[in-house]
Amino acid sequence: AQVTADFETLFVRVEAIARLEREWGIKGLIDVDRLDASNGLLRPLLKGTSGITSFAIARDDGREILISSDANGRWFNRLTDPDVRGGVGRFITYDENDRVVGDEVRKTDYDARKRPWFLAAAAMPKDDDIHWTAAYRFVSSGEPGLSAVVRWTAPDGHRYAITSDVWL
C-alpha cells in the first residue's frame, strides 16, 4: 500500500509539473532557442523532490534541448538540430554549483522526432492531454524510465513537445 501511494504521489506531482511546462511553453518561456531561460525554469525542478531526472524539449523542426541530472549533483545539456547540424550535438556539463565544466561537440544521431515520446506527443488527440510513455531506455543515460509528455503551439507558431522523465 505504501509503494502504491508513493507512485501515485509521484505521478500526480509529475503531471502537475507537465501542465506548468505547457503553460510556460504557450507563453514562450520554454524555447529551444533560449537555453539559459529554459535551464533557469527547469533546472531547479531537477534539484528538488519532483522525482524528475531530465527534461527533453523538442520543436517540430527537430531542434532539441535535454536538461539532465546525474547522481553526483552534476547536470548537462544536450543540444541537437539534426536538419542543420546533422550527426553532431553540443554537450555542456555543469557542476553542482551550476558552473560550466565542459562544453564539447560530439557525434550523435539523435533526432527527437524519431523518439517514442515525440511520436506520442504528435499522436495525442488534443494539446491539453498528458501522455505517459511505456517504459523505454533513455538515450542520454541508458536508464530505463518513462516520460510524461505534453505539447503546445508556441507564440512563434512552432509545435513543441516536452518530456518529464522519471527513472524506474
Side-chain angles (χ1 to χ4, degrees):
Q2 183 61 46
V3 171
T4 299
D6 290 347
F7 271 106
E8 287 174 357
T9 299
L10 174 67
F11 281 96
V12 167
R13 185 180 313 130
V14 171
E15 286 187 359
I17 290 169
R19 284 185 192 89
L20 181 61
E21 293 162 355
R22 181 178 29 241
E23 287 181 35
W24 287 340
I26 290 168
K27 293 177 181 176
L29 300 174
I30 294 176
D31 184 332
V32 294
D33 292 326
R34 298 178 57 219
L35 177 63
D36 289 342
S38 296
N39 279 342
L41 284 173
L42 299 171
R43 170 65 180 136
L45 297 172
L46 295 178
K47 289 180 176 181
T49 59
S50 70
I52 298 170
T53 56
S54 59
F55 300 99
I57 310 158
R59 194 166 61 191
D60 53 14
D61 63 1
R63 191 168 170 135
E64 173 259 0
I65 296 173
L66 174 74
I67 304 168
S68 185
S69 60
D70 71 14
N72 301 320
R74 298 180 87 143
W75 62 286
F76 71 93
N77 289 129
R78 177 189 63 217
L79 299 101
T80 58
D81 192 349
D83 291 347
V84 175
R85 301 178 70 201
V88 298
R90 182 177 174 202
F91 293 79
I92 306 168
T93 306
Y94 305 83
D95 68 14
E96 59 279 351
N97 296 311
D98 300 339
R99 291 182 299 239
V100 174
V101 294
D103 190 340
E104 62 183 329
V105 174
R106 296 194 304 235
K107 290 184 80 162
T108 180
D109 62 355
Y110 190 86
D111 186 336
R113 297 168 295 186
K114 297 177 181 175
R115 298 300 298 153
W117 61 270
F118 193 87
L119 296 170
M124 289 190 311
K126 52 189 180 183
D127 281 356
D128 59 352
D129 287 345
I130 297 176
H131 174 81
W132 280 95
T133 65
Y136 67 102
R137 289 210 179 270
F138 297 122
V139 171
S140 60
S141 66
E143 292 290 329
L146 31 100
S147 303
V149 183
V150 295
R151 71 173 190 208
W152 67 89
T153 300
D156 64 7
H158 279 287
R159 301 282 291 160
Y160 278 80
I162 187 170
T163 67
S164 299
D165 302 329
V166 178
W167 288 353
L168 292 177

